[in-house]
């Protein structure tokens, strides 16, 4: 691992400098993570009096549990739809911005600020807009003959959380797509134009392939976002309902652990989630070009 | 521009305007709602044009006590959010800059181990270890305290890596010159390294401030005492009304107040914000 | 001011590769010593060991009468000028100059006095309140010098301080550094890989090769009596011509010509001749070397002729107007003929006396 050519010779100072970070890491990250792993092998009896070691049974039970399988499916649908919606709309905006040189700063300012809006607030805003009794969207949908009610209809609930989650993520993706587009040398597109490629053809043959590292990076980031950071969106809108229709994995860990007090199962779910994050992190570091090098 | 396609330019502007409208729409609705009286919502449709009750709404929201769910003045929540955001941002920056300094400018046993321990935090977001982390904080008696709200969140692999990258690009000779000039490790850190990392620190502060301000799950877990509610976490508790229709104008006023500070930060420091975002890459 | 005594110094880096080995060198008080050698020969390593930036794994370094092996750089009473200047980018020139003095607790008015003095000497007074970013390369170089001289150290250490400047400025600056050093009388160790810089600046040259000292001497001494083919080729530009020859019975045969080599043992040798040591008319040499001209380079003040001599290429320099033709004979100056043995070391023939031949 890289250091400087010359280094300071102090014996204790480096440990002192690292102490705060490592203390927080051990106490609030490693220890709880270890606890989660340990608890995932235990089960409490119905009265919380006796705890016994049950091996992998918490895990096997999970995969026999229809609710958990449902949560897996819900997470998949939610993640893929949200990521797709957020990526495609932000790419369109970035491409549009790339054509408007003069006014680009104004548009950028007008488009980036939702990054600063908390996922929970985004949820509340869209929840209000889609409120079945007074919301503007149900009112408009009723005009075209659709009866919106996300408190009762599963599809409506899923649509609501997808829209709220994607809305919040657009500005982040937009900024990275803009940066990605700017790093494509103008000479490439000019060369293609001279070769007679029209704007649409140029997009598919030049721009999109050259954007693929950015797209892949954003895909990973968006998946992580939809799997974890959207807890607040769900909690502020549907609370996982109706009938588990928006019960994503992260929300279920919370629901089982804090509301249902089923610690063994919640811990096993935590461990599975950790596995997913670790896999995503490895993908991000192995296959996505990063400035961090080891 | 490669060549002239008028229609493409028009399309580009239309797309962007549509984008801006979609992005702004929910916020517009919220602002409008916050300017009306509760009675205006009974009609069955959200008002679409501003009302004249803005001053009254915001004044009563800030003071609190407008209803049973809103007994806490929003001012208190704003204060809590501000404290939390600033403590988290400053805490993360301080401990990360110190650890990056140790890792880059010293060689010592277990350096590699320390690096990997920090790295691992990337893979353990709060959401995946909710229950045991809550237990640790409870055991340490940190529930309902600013320490509990902030300290468990201030480890940061991303910030540490960012500073490490920054330090690695600073020429070795600068440290050598400083040593010859009689600067010890801490003097060098204070006099040379920190001033040279100034813009990085500022950019990171913007990102981390937003991160801290927007925390949701953690404050919900850690605070039961309304005196420690943050605004982002508090709004949910307000909207959760069982017995009656929510007080929409107050909720939306709170939502507007909750997003105002970070949005202002982003717009006012757009350049730093973009730099921070792109450099930390999350 | 102090002498620097280096005894049996060596450095092995973490990888186990010895970078510098068995260096013995006495640098006299006030002397300007240049360490020169090709890239990777250990010049910087040796200098940095003197500075205290690199741990000394073997031997001792003394500055004045103190052994400094275990002292921090700041305690060694030296100042260093780096190739990239290493000015603190966020400080003004004045702050850059003052920083070291401040750290040492020098009184404020003394700092002001010394900074003003340095600024006057180096003519950087006009930019004292600028940041390094706003200075040209040459000006930064001066500020770096200033930072060294305000400290009034007992030695200056330079690590290729001019290599980031353009050729013209380099020539000016090397003169200035030398003048300044003479005026201050401060012992100096100067590292460069540029042999011309080394020749023009040094009181004494130290030629390094693969971590060892190859030769120490005044520039002229090293130029005239290189101890090995390595030094012979490294010092001087264009470099010395090396041709293969054979010695038999006190005579060396090279390129069909035979020259006296009294007292030199029989066997294969390398014959060295500097480009300026050829003439077109027989002088002291009885025999000339038949040469075919292949190329001419005009330098303005002189012209360089590239010849095929025997199977080898030989460069010779002539005054600007000299007429050269395709087939010629080159007559070497015998008093400037160098012989090197199979081990590439110099062989000095027994003194040539008139009449002995
Ligand atoms: N930190 C290090 N670790 C390991 N080996 C090193 C280190 N620094 C230098 N070396 C090796 O030591 C040898 C001498 O290096 P040094 O930097 O002293 O050369 P130099 O003569 O200054 O060359 P240059 O003219 O290129 O600056 C080289 O072979 C180099 O690879
Ligand atoms: Mg060097």
């Amino acid at each position: 691992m890289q250091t400087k050519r010359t280094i300071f010779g102090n014996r204790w100072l480096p440990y002192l400098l690292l102490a705060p970070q490592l203390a927080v890491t051990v106490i609030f990250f490693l220890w709880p993570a270890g606890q989660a792993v340990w608890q995932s092998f235990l089960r409490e009896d119905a009265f919380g009096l006796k705890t016994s070691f049950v091996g992998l049974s918490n895990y096997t039970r999970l995969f026999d549990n229809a609710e958990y399988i449902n949560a897996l499916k819900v997470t998949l649908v939610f993640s893929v739809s949200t990521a797709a919606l957020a990526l495609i709309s932000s790419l369109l905006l970035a491409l549009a911005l790339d054509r408007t040189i003069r006014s680009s700063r104004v548009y950028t300012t007008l488009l980036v600020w939702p990054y600063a809006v908390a996922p929970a607030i985004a949820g509340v805003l869209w929840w209000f807009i889609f409120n079945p009794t007074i919301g503007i969207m149900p009112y408009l949908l009723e005009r075209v003959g659709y009866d919106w009610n996300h408190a009762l209809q599963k599809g409506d609930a899923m649509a609501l959380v997808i829209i709220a989650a994607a809305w919040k993520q657009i500005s982040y993706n937009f900024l990275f797509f803009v940066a990605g587009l700017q790093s494509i040398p103008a000479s490439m597109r000019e060369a293609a134009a001279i070769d007679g490629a029209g704007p649409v053809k140029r997009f598919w043959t030049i721009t999109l392939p050259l954007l693929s590292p950015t797209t892949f990076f954003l895909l990973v980031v968006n998946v992580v976002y939809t799997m974890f950071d959207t807890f607040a969106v769900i909690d502020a809108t549907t609370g996982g309902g109706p009938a588990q229709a928006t019960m994503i994995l992260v929300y279920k860990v919370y629901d089982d652990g804090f509301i249902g007090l089923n610690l063994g199962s919640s811990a096993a779910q935590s461990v599975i989630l950790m596995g997913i994050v670790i896999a995503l992190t490895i993908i991000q570091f192995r296959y996505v070009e990063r400035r961090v090098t080891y | 521009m490669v060549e002239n396609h008028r229609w493409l330019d028009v399309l580009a502007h239309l797309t962007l305007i549509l984008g801006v409208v979609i992005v702004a729409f929910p916020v517009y609705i919220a602002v409008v709602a916050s300017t009306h009286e509760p009675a205006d919502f009974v009609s069955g449709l959200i008002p679409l044009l501003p009302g004249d009750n803005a001053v009254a709404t915001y004044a009563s929201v800030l003071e609190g006590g407008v209803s049973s769910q809103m007994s806490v003045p929003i001012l208190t929540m704003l204060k809590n959010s501000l404290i939390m955001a600033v403590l988290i941002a400053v805490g993360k920056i301080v401990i990360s800059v110190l650890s990056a300094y140790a890792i880059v400018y010293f060689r010592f046993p277990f350096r590699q181990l320390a690096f990997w321990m920090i790295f691992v935090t990337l893979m353990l977001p709060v959401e995946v270890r909710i229950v045991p982390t809550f237990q640790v904080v409870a055991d340490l008696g940190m529930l309902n305290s600013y320490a509990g709200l902030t300290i468990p969140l201030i480890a940061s692999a991303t910030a540490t890596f960012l500073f490490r990258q920054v330090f690695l690009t600073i020429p070795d000779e600068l440290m050598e010159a400083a040593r010859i000039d009689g600067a010890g490790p801490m003097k060098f850190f204070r006099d040379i390294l920190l001033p040279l990392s100034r813009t990085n620190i500022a950019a990171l502060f913007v990102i981390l401030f937003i991160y801290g301000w927007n925390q949701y799950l953690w404050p919900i877990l850690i605070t039961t005492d309304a005196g420690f509610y943050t605004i982002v976490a508090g709004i949910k508790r307000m909207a959760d009304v069982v017995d009656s229709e929510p007080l929409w104008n107050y909720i939306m006023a709170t939502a507007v107040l909750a997003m105002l500070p970070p949005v202002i930060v982003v717009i006012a420091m757009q350049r730093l914000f973009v730099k921070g975002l792109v450099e930390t890459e999350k | 001011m102090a002498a620097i005594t280096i005894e049996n110094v060596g450095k092995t880096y973490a990888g186990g590769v010895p970078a510098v080995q068995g260096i013995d060198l006495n640098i006299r008080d006030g002397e300007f010593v240049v360490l020169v050698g090709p890239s990777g020969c250990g010049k910087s390593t040796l200098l940095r060991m003197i500075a205290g930036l690199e741990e000394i794994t073997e031997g001792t370094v003394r500055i004045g009468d103190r052994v400094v092996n275990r002292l921090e750089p700041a305690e060694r009473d030296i100042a260093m000028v780096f190739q990239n200047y290493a000015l603190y980018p966020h400080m003004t020139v004045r702050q850059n100059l003052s920083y070291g003095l401040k750290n040492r607790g020098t009184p404020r008015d003394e700092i002001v006095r010394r900074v003003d003095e340095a600024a006057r000497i180096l003519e950087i007074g006009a930019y004292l309140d600028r940041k390094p970013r706003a200075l040209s390369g040459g000006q930064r170089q001066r500020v770096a010098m200033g930072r060294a001289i305000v400290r009034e150290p007992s030695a200056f250490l330079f690590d290729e301080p001019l290599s980031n400047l353009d050729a013209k400025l380099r020539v000016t600056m090397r003169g200035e550094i030398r003048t300044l050093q003479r005026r201050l009388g401060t012992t100096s160790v100067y590292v460069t890989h540029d042999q011309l810089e080394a020749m023009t600046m040094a009181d004494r040259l130290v030629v390094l090769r693969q971590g060892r000292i190859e030769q120490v001497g005044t520039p002229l001494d090293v130029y005239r009596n290189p101890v090995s083919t390595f030094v012979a080729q490294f010092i001087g530009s264009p470099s010395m011509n090396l041709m293969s020859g054979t010695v038999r019975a006190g005579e060396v045969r090279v390129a069909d010509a035979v020259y006296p080599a009294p007292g030199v043992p029989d066997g294969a040798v390398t014959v060295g001749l500097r480009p300026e040591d050829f003439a077109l008319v027989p002088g002291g040499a009885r025999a000339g070397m038949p040469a075919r001209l292949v190329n001419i380079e005009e330098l303005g003040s002189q012209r360089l002729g590239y010849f095929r001599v025997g199977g080898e290429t030989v460069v010779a320099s002539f005054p600007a107007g000299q007429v050269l033709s395709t087939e010629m004979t080159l007559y070497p100056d015998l008093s400037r003929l160098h012989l090197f043995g199979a081990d590439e070391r110099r062989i000095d023939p027994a003194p040539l006396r008139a009449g002995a031949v």
Side-chain angles (χ1 to χ4, degrees), chain B residues 173 176 179 181 187 191, chain C residues 48 72 88 90 99 103:
Chain B
E173 285 84 357
E176 298 174 350
R179 280 178 86 172
D181 269 344
K187 215 179 176 71
D191 291 349
Chain C
R48 293 160 56 78
E72 272 288 297
Y88 311 122
H90 59 296
Y99 187 62
N103 287 342

Side-chain angles (χ1 to χ4, degrees), chain A residues 88-161:
Chain A
I88 293 172
S89 43
S90 54
L91 178 58
L92 281 178
L93 291 172
L95 286 169
L97 188 87
D98 209 37
R99 279 201 77 86
T100 58
I101 303 162
R102 249 170 300 137
S103 36
S104 67
R105 259 191 80 79
V106 179
Y107 282 126
T108 305
T109 308
L110 289 174
L111 285 169
V112 297
W113 58 267
Y115 176 86
V117 177
I121 304 292
V124 168
L125 294 181
W126 286 99
W127 177 63
F128 181 50
I129 288 170
F130 278 103
N131 182 290
T133 36
I134 61 163
I136 169 90
M137 290 308 285
Y139 174 80
L140 293 177
L141 287 169
E142 204 184 318
R143 290 280 181 92
V144 297
Y146 187 84
D147 182 20
W148 173 279
N149 192 340
H150 62 253
L152 297 174
Q153 291 158 29
K154 291 176 148 201
D156 293 354
M158 181 57 98
L160 171 61
V161 290

